Amino acid sequence: MRFLRPLPIAWNMLIDKPSRLALSVMAVAFSVVIMFMELGFFNGSNDSAANLPPHFDCDLILSHKEKNHLKTGEEFPIDWIYKARDVAGVAASVPLYSGADYWWNPQDGSRNRVFTLGVNLDDPMFTTAIIAANRRALQKPGAVIYDRLSRHELGQVESGTTTTLGRIKVTVVGLCELGPNFSYEGHVIMSADTFLLMQNQPRDVIDLGLIRVQPGADVNEVRQRLLAALPPQALLLTPAEINTREIRVTTQRSPAGIVFGIGLVVGFAIGVIICYQILFNEVNDHLPQFATLKAMGHPPRFISGIVLHEAVLMALAGFIPGLIAGFGLYMLIEHFTQIRMFLTPGRVLLIFVLTSGMCLLAGHLALKKVHSTDPADLF
């Protein structure tokens, strides 16, 4: 454990001035909070944009090639659904209608845009358990399932609430959990019949097709057969591929995803600058001690080890309060915006690695000052 030999000296140098150490820890923690927030916004925009794919209960999703996002794009004729049912290996193929409309707040009468989905009640392949639990109630025209994670602007909504959705009166018969995103305040699920009535959309114009393959059938082989049977404009993706596409579109084409991605990089750069200033001052204040160590014959590697151990200690000391503050801010933002801010172990580890890298990079930059110290300056 020779690499730990500089650790006691690094620790003593850091605690030499407790007030300065406290300020340094706060500065690093501030940088950690910035990175947590930018990562939270970045992932929040991606997670909320891709909140539908985890609820698909099918093997393949059929759409038009021009539909580059689940909530935008082209429709296709219902004939594609019928043709898919005749392909070997396909167990079922059903339409899923989707679109946006206005939801009137039942308390104050204000209106906000929600994303609506019209499912096949006999075989929904989307939020299957929730649809099964409310199938009988959803058969009534105007019956809907409300997304209880929707933004507060939509009003206080529970089972039995009646209001206006689009151009029809609706009654909430159940609740689900999907969550809003940066485009829509929430989601509403209903039967295909209620959806077509609300949107005044022809039944033979489809937004998505949900396909289940037969047990034991290879999904990729069935997909190739489907592509051979369907028009060249057809696109077939698995729910996992759809999830990846939603995140890619948000990250690369959505202004929010791009802004937050750049913000994460800027947060890291700000952290490096702050840590460099802290470590540079730390080194500058202890130049006599470094010169003495060099005069005593300690090699440059040992001197570098002291600075880099100081950087690691600062990263550890600043990360913990930054994590606590970041978690609190996540809860606060989620409460006010309803955007899910997931703080997963992988994301915590990523910020810790970035924090350590930030401090080590700053420590590496500060080494030049240490190595330029001449022991003769002491005399």
Side-chain angles (χ1 to χ4, degrees), residues 54-370:
H55 299 279
F56 285 118
D57 186 21
C58 59
D59 297 303
L60 290 168
I61 299 169
L62 172 63
S63 66
H64 195 285
K65 270 188 176 176
E66 297 299 322
K67 190 179 184 67
N68 57 10
H69 194 278
L70 277 180
K71 297 172 182 177
T72 60
E74 294 284 329
E75 298 93 359
F76 59 86
I78 199 168
D79 289 349
W80 293 13
I81 299 290
Y82 298 148
K83 286 182 179 177
R85 291 173 182 171
D86 295 332
V87 172
V90 172
S93 172
V94 299
L96 176 67
Y97 299 93
S98 64
D101 220 319
Y102 285 104
W103 170 276
W104 268 259
N105 184 315
Q107 281 80 45
D108 62 18
S110 62
R111 67 174 193 172
N112 290 278
R113 282 173 67 81
V114 295
F115 196 72
T116 56
L117 297 136
V119 301
N120 181 316
L121 294 183
D122 295 327
D123 191 4
M125 296 196 218
F126 180 78
T127 57
T128 304
I130 297 170
I131 300 301
N134 297 277
R135 177 174 289 115
R136 177 169 294 181
L138 285 171
Q139 289 174 345
K140 297 177 182 177
V144 301
I145 292 177
Y146 177 78
D147 177 7
R148 74 173 192 87
L149 298 180
S150 299
R151 292 205 174 93
H152 303 311
E153 289 83 350
L154 299 187
Q156 187 70 33
V157 179
E158 54 191 19
S159 291
T161 297
T162 59
T163 186
T164 301
L165 176 61
R167 62 195 192 98
I168 65 171
K169 292 288 183 184
V170 296
T171 301
V172 176
V173 298
L175 301 174
C176 64
E177 292 187 357
L178 294 174
N181 54 43
F182 285 83
S183 301
Y184 302 103
E185 313 299 331
H187 296 78
V188 181
I189 305 173
M190 62 202 77
S191 69
D193 290 338
T194 296
F195 180 92
L196 297 174
L197 177 66
M198 176 193 68
Q199 294 275 349
N200 196 25
Q201 178 174 325
R203 187 174 293 274
D204 57 356
V205 176
I206 310 299
D207 299 286
L208 293 169
L210 308 183
I211 297 171
R212 182 189 303 116
V213 305
Q214 292 176 349
D218 185 90
V219 173
N220 285 325
E221 289 181 4
V222 175
R223 171 158 49 184
Q224 294 306 316
R225 291 189 208 115
L226 283 164
L227 289 173
L230 294 169
Q233 297 83 5
L235 177 66
L236 282 159
L237 297 174
T238 65
E241 290 169 343
I242 288 278
N243 189 76
T244 302
R245 188 188 67 176
E246 299 295 290
I247 293 175
R248 185 179 66 248
V249 169
T250 304
T251 304
Q252 299 178 358
R253 300 184 186 179
S254 164
I258 295 171
V259 167
F260 295 139
I262 293 174
L264 179 62
V265 176
V266 172
F268 180 81
I270 292 173
V272 170
I273 294 170
I274 292 175
C275 290
Y276 172 72
Q277 289 296 328
I278 294 170
L279 282 171
F280 183 84
N281 291 330
E282 183 72 26
V283 167
N284 205 46
D285 289 349
H286 290 99
L287 280 180
Q289 287 81 359
F290 284 115
T292 301
L293 289 170
K294 293 176 76 173
M296 291 169 65
H298 287 287
R301 178 182 296 180
F302 183 81
I303 304 296
S304 299
I306 295 172
V307 178
L308 295 178
H309 276 81
E310 282 190 81
V312 171
L313 289 171
M314 285 176 51
L316 289 170
F319 177 77
I320 295 172
L323 171 62
I324 296 171
F327 181 74
L329 287 171
Y330 273 33
M331 296 297 101
L332 195 64
I333 292 170
E334 190 170 311
H335 173 74
F336 284 108
T337 67
Q338 306 302 305
I339 294 293
R340 310 302 295 272
M341 302 280 279
F342 296 115
L343 194 58
T344 63
R347 292 170 184 177
V348 172
L349 180 63
L350 173 62
I351 295 297
F352 178 71
V353 170
L354 287 175
T355 304
S356 302
M358 175 181 76
C359 290
L360 286 171
L361 179 58
H364 181 74
L365 295 173
L367 282 177
K368 186 177 179 182
K369 181 69 176 176
V370 176

